[in-house]
Amino acid sequence: MIIMAQKYSFLLSVISLAVLSACTEQPANLQASSPTTEVVSATTSVALAPVAKKVPYEMEIHGDKRIDNYYWMRDDKREDPEILAHLAAENDYTNAQLTHTEKLQAELFEELKARIEKNDDSVPVKKGLYFYSTEMRGDNEYPIYVRSTDVSGANKEILLDVNTLAKDHAYYQVSGLDVSPNGQLMAFGEDKVSRRVYSVKFQDLASKAMLPDVLEGTEGDVVWANDNKTVYYIKKDLQTLLGYQVYRHTLGTPQSDDQLVYEETDNTYYTGIGKSKDGSVIFINHGSTESSGVSVIDANNPKAMPQRLVPREKGLEYDASKLGQYYYITTNLDAVNFRLMKVHQDELGDKTKWQEVIPHRANVKFEGVQLFNHHMVYQEREKGQTSIKVRDLTTQKEHTLSFNDPAFSVYMYGNGELDSSALRVYYTSMTTPGTHYDIDLASGKKVQLKQQAVLGDFNADNYASERIFIKARDGVEVPVSLVYRKDKFKKDGSNSLYQYGYGSYGSTMDPSFSSSRLSLLDRGFVYAIAHIRGSQMLGRPWYDDGKKLTKQNTFNDFIDVTKALTTQGYGNKDNVFAAGGSAGGLLMGAVINQAPELYKGVAAHVPFVDVVTTMLDESIPLTTNEYDEWGNPNDKTYYDYMLSYSPYDQVKAQAYPNLLVTTGLHDSQVQYFEPAKWVAKLRDYKTNDNKLLFKVDMEAGHGGASGRFKGLKDRALEYAFFLDLAGQNKQ
């Protein structure tokens, strides 16, 4: 499972892996009482796979009994010696099985690292009186946060060097670096475990002295009130890891004195906080899968309490931005694909007063708006492609921003100033490295600020990208984004194929550039993103047709895309590889149960595979928030349907592809014991000798290793696993 963030992420991290010595897998169905790796011959040094003991655990609901032989692997404290020994044995076995790829992994790691600019600065973003940016230097794993009074970097001031803070920690993550309105104080959250539970600290930026205030057990972000001494933050339930309480803290007072200003009593909702662009109000965002809402707090009154924009309703989704005396509201009210409305601040609480600004269209999804003093910029999606339009608020004239690639991604970011005359965007395609532009709102003229540097012999002209549509078994056409190296691609079914998918939470994986991916393309791989149902690539109905009681469409789409790509000559049917993480790991688990013969190798990262058991347990982090995504199995209709595809429950005696499974011991989204149990059950049932490898990062969580270079080792291991299976490990 995964929390749907408000921000975009441009790099998928997987779990940290390492390599040691070689050997063969243990035959299926062989049981052992000890979870440790066995060596059966000193002369051949053959290591056997760890076989987990079976302890039957009975679960019954709706008159149906299930026996989970590996339920014992769950340890919420992550301290049980037997479990830790089993996970260590899995790591040792994986290392042993992959020792012959060690040289290839090292080669790939150096390739990936060599393409990255070591001294790399972000594009400054203006907020108040300062321009904020980050700097990466040399072999540093973490950024240095800086600010200056001029976009050129004059009078640069270091705010936070994360490398210094992280030096004594195996894992370290900073979240929510927020500066007070007067620019004199800074708050930031730190996570040293990778459970996404942050301690918020404060610093005086003039003296560099740390303040005594520390806020424990938080989401990591704070929002400053305008008095420069009051902050709002979200506190988490440390069992479910659900952020559900909004507190107000006054600097110089103990956390125990903080005032609770909002508590979410519906455990199917997430809670978020933010601030309007004009700084006048603080937003509390309430969001579940199918319903959402907004409350506002006067940012100028440190004693103000939140006020709902309109009463919350099941099925009503909306969020709000503010310009002058009006709130602009993106909503699904009588609009499946959303529309834009506005309402005067004096008429809050009555949605009958909402006035339409951008109407609903059945084939176009309205995705969001950025407001400026003189312009409104809004984003839409039609036939899977994003467009951005600019409207002059005085003349009401519009123009559409133009881009060159046939399929691309474009994101608005860093537009925090109402009086700006330019729009900041990030643009990328599968052949175009990430590029930052300022676009004049009046003329549409683009000024390129920076393009991601790709070191080495990279030439974009060597690569080609396609957007095609593939007909699924029910006649629906599924978009697919493809990229390959022109001189390596024959379209005769000879190329190895790497197919990626996600397909949940309405999360759309738009085509984007990856310098790491070049290591596959340059070795003749075709890379495909299957934009399957469960995303919003073709609008909100595309999402609705791939969740709850239509979830099987997600798996069918992925399988049907694989079949069509090989039939059409894009990939070799004997060399198809697939990968996905989190809910994409559920996708991997489902497709290898349903169509294992299609795939030579599969990588399932932090996979959500024990769907029914997890969704029946409200003590597990994030479960209750996801009933509208998967269904509530306390209802027999949903129970039966979820059981029909749950990867863990549907493991059967059959031949499975070569499989690499990764997780993090401290994962806060998908608990480590889900993939651990899944691997144990697969090892018991699988009928062939294909590899089944499980790697556990004992120091990381859902996002994998912290640091920009550590994550490259994770990617190198996955690529080496696939290349070796494709016969391209020439060691």
Side-chain angles (χ1 to χ4, degrees):
M1 295 179 288
I2 188 170
I3 292 179
M4 292 306 300
Q6 299 293 322
K7 304 172 184 176
Y8 289 94
S9 171
F10 303 112
L11 180 63
L12 174 65
S13 291
V14 291
I15 299 304
S16 217
L17 307 167
V19 177
L20 286 172
S21 55
C23 330
T24 85
E25 173 136 25
Q26 173 174 322
N29 302 311
L30 181 62
Q31 296 184 39
S33 59
S34 169
T36 58
T37 302
E38 302 176 36
V39 178
V40 299
S41 168
T43 56
T44 58
S45 298
V46 177
L48 296 179
V51 177
K53 69 181 182 182
K54 293 181 179 180
V55 182
Y57 180 86
E58 183 177 298
M59 296 172 284
E60 182 175 1
I61 188 173
H62 307 305
D64 181 54
K65 289 184 180 179
R66 291 182 299 135
I67 302 297
D68 186 348
N69 288 319
Y70 306 106
Y71 191 89
W72 66 270
M73 288 185 175
R74 175 176 176 177
D75 172 27
D76 290 350
K77 292 184 178 180
R78 291 152 172 81
E79 297 173 350
D80 187 294
E82 184 177 12
I83 295 172
L84 294 176
H86 178 77
L87 299 179
E90 289 282 9
N91 282 342
D92 290 343
Y93 176 68
T94 296
N95 294 338
Q97 286 284 299
L98 294 179
T99 189
H100 66 290
T101 70
E102 213 169 33
K103 184 177 178 182
L104 177 58
Q105 287 184 65
E107 176 186 325
L108 287 164
F109 174 71
E110 291 304 322
E111 277 184 24
L112 304 184
K113 188 175 180 180
R115 295 192 188 104
I116 295 175
E117 185 80 67
K118 286 191 174 184
N119 295 328
D120 192 20
D121 299 344
S122 70
V123 178
V125 170
K126 190 173 189 296
K127 184 178 180 182
L129 300 175
Y130 295 92
F131 291 86
Y132 293 85
S133 60
T134 60
E135 297 177 347
M136 299 297 293
R137 291 290 177 266
D139 290 324
N140 282 352
E141 292 280 359
Y142 301 96
I144 301 168
Y145 290 90
V146 301
R147 71 177 181 183
S148 60
T149 55
D150 185 87
V151 70
S152 66
N155 304 310
K156 183 178 72 176
E157 172 188 4
I158 294 177
L159 300 177
L160 201 66
D161 185 342
V162 183
N163 300 281
T164 301
L165 298 174
K167 65 181 180 180
D168 296 324
H169 303 286
Y171 179 93
Y172 190 87
Q173 188 70 41
V174 163
S175 173
L177 191 146
D178 295 285
V179 176
S180 60
N182 63 9
Q184 296 177 11
L185 301 171
M186 177 179 68
F188 65 94
E190 61 177 16
D191 174 12
K192 301 174 184 176
V193 181
S194 192
R195 289 287 283 170
R196 300 186 182 181
V197 179
Y198 293 86
S199 299
V200 174
K201 298 183 177 181
F202 298 85
Q203 185 177 42
D204 183 308
L205 293 176
S207 67
K208 302 301 181 185
M210 298 300 297
L211 303 186
D213 304 69
V214 178
L215 307 178
E216 301 287 1
T218 82
E219 288 273 15
D221 297 310
V222 305
V223 175
W224 290 86
N226 292 335
D227 64 357
N228 298 293
K229 64 179 182 180
T230 303
V231 297
Y232 294 83
Y233 66 95
I234 298 172
K235 199 167 186 180
K236 283 194 167 188
D237 181 311
L238 297 183
Q239 172 63 38
T240 65
L241 300 186
L242 178 64
Y244 72 111
Q245 295 175 319
V246 179
Y247 277 90
R248 177 161 46 216
H249 174 77
T250 302
L251 292 179
T253 65
Q255 186 178 11
S256 58
D257 289 350
D258 291 353
Q259 182 183 8
L260 178 66
V261 298
Y262 177 82
E263 181 168 1
E264 181 55 69
T265 57
D266 186 336
N267 61 7
T268 67
Y269 275 78
Y270 295 115
T271 302
I273 52 176
K275 199 172 188 180
S276 61
K277 195 179 288 191
D278 66 4
S280 65
V281 297
I282 292 162
F283 291 122
I284 301 178
N285 298 303
H286 322 287
S288 68
T289 302
E290 296 180 336
S291 308
S292 63
V294 179
S295 298
V296 296
I297 303 174
D298 184 351
N300 294 305
N301 179 0
K303 296 183 179 181
M305 298 300 288
Q307 175 188 2
R308 284 266 168 86
L309 255 63
V310 296
R312 216 157 65 186
E313 299 176 26
K314 181 68 174 176
L316 175 65
E317 297 178 61
Y318 73 91
D319 61 30
S321 302
K322 187 172 179 290
L323 180 63
Q325 296 182 327
Y326 283 87
Y327 286 89
Y328 284 72
I329 300 168
T330 299
T331 181
N332 71 339
L333 178 66
D334 300 323
V336 172
N337 263 330
F338 291 78
R339 57 178 171 161
L340 184 66
M341 316 284 278
K342 73 175 183 178
V343 64
H344 194 276
Q345 63 187 13
D346 294 338
E347 296 177 320
L348 291 178
D350 184 359
K351 70 176 184 293
T352 66
K353 302 293 186 181
W354 290 3
Q355 307 163 37
E356 188 171 78
V357 180
I358 304 292
H360 172 256
R361 285 163 290 170
N363 296 319
V364 180
K365 183 173 182 290
F366 185 87
E367 294 198 321
V369 64
Q370 281 286 340
L371 299 171
F372 300 89
N373 284 336
H374 304 294
H375 294 87
M376 178 181 75
V377 184
Y378 61 98
Q379 185 165 309
E380 298 179 322
R381 184 183 296 272
E382 184 174 8
K383 294 181 179 179
Q385 187 57 72
T386 296
S387 66
I388 293 179
K389 297 180 179 179
V390 180
R391 176 180 293 186
D392 187 302
L393 292 175
T394 301
T395 66
Q396 299 301 304
K397 292 183 178 179
E398 290 189 354
H399 61 270
T400 302
L401 303 183
S402 61
F403 299 97
N404 295 327
D405 295 292
F408 57 84
S409 303
V410 59
Y411 310 116
M412 297 183 282
Y413 83 97
N415 296 289
E417 301 293 307
L418 284 170
D419 62 353
S420 177
S421 61
L423 175 75
R424 175 70 56 81
V425 303
Y426 176 92
Y427 174 85
T428 181
S429 75
M430 296 185 86
T431 58
T432 305
T435 309
H436 303 258
Y437 292 103
D438 270 350
I439 303 176
D440 186 88
L441 290 167
S443 68
K445 181 180 179 182
K446 294 194 290 286
V447 176
Q448 181 175 314
L449 304 174
K450 178 184 177 180
Q451 184 171 80
Q452 173 191 342
V454 183
L455 304 184
D457 61 355
F458 170 73
N459 182 343
D461 293 337
N462 291 334
Y463 304 89
S465 178
E466 296 183 36
R467 166 67 61 83
I468 64 174
F469 286 82
I470 285 173
K471 187 169 289 188
R473 65 193 68 181
D474 60 356
V476 171
E477 291 194 326
V478 180
V480 179
S481 297
L482 296 154
V483 65
Y484 47 80
R485 184 171 172 126
K486 295 175 184 177
D487 59 354
K488 301 282 187 179
F489 178 59
K490 300 182 176 66
K491 203 176 181 181
D492 61 358
S494 63
N495 290 86
S496 295
L497 174 67
Y498 181 118
Q499 184 174 316
Y500 170 78
Y502 188 75
S504 293
Y505 304 100
S507 182
T508 300
M509 303 302 176
D510 282 308
S512 61
F513 185 81
S514 165
S515 64
S516 296
R517 191 185 299 146
L518 299 176
S519 289
L520 291 179
L521 305 185
D522 290 350
R523 289 172 170 83
F525 270 66
V526 173
Y527 186 98
I529 303 174
H531 303 291
I532 51 186
R533 278 173 280 188
S535 73
Q536 295 185 86
M537 176 58 75
L538 298 183
R540 177 50 67 95
W542 196 247
Y543 173 34
D544 293 336
D545 208 21
K547 67 176 182 179
K548 292 199 291 191
L549 298 177
T550 59
K551 190 62 194 172
Q552 183 60 40
N553 288 333
T554 301
F555 315 133
N556 291 347
D557 287 355
F558 193 88
I559 291 167
D560 293 347
V561 165
T562 301
K563 291 178 178 178
L565 289 177
T566 55
T567 299
Q568 295 178 24
Y570 285 99
N572 180 345
K573 65 180 179 59
D574 296 322
N575 263 347
V576 178
F577 303 91
S582 195
L586 180 152
L587 170 67
M588 296 299 104
V591 301
I592 66 171
N593 280 336
Q594 297 175 24
E597 71 284 354
L598 296 180
Y599 304 96
K600 181 74 165 287
V602 170
H605 302 298
V606 292
F608 173 40
V609 285
D610 193 10
V611 185
V612 178
T613 303
T614 292
M615 294 304 295
L616 281 169
D617 188 345
E618 294 187 10
S619 73
I620 291 178
L622 313 182
T623 289
T624 56
N625 299 83
E626 312 219 341
Y627 288 153
D628 286 339
E629 178 70 27
W630 311 103
N632 184 345
N634 291 293
D635 180 326
K636 188 176 187 303
T637 300
Y638 289 109
Y639 174 85
D640 291 341
Y641 190 80
M642 294 164 69
L643 194 62
S644 73
Y645 68 76
S646 172
Y648 183 63
D649 293 286
Q650 293 303 318
V651 170
K652 58 179 76 72
Q654 65 177 356
Y656 280 94
N658 295 281
L659 187 61
L660 172 66
V661 182
T662 67
T663 193
L665 180 64
H666 301 287
D667 197 324
S668 59
Q669 314 301 103
V670 179
Q671 308 302 301
Y672 77 89
F673 45 82
E674 288 200 38
K677 290 165 46 177
W678 184 47
V679 167
K681 189 173 183 180
L682 281 167
R683 192 163 280 140
D684 186 39
Y685 276 80
K686 66 191 290 286
T687 61
N688 60 354
D689 294 328
N690 283 344
K691 294 182 186 299
L692 174 54
L693 307 180
F694 184 37
K695 195 68 177 178
V696 185
D697 188 324
M698 306 299 282
E699 298 170 341
H702 199 66
S706 59
R708 62 171 173 163
F709 295 129
K710 289 180 182 177
L712 296 181
K713 291 187 176 180
D714 310 338
R715 185 63 54 84
L717 183 134
E718 183 203 88
Y719 285 3
F721 179 69
F722 286 162
L723 287 166
D724 180 56
L725 293 171
Q728 295 191 48
N729 181 19
K730 309 300 183 184
Q731 305 299 332

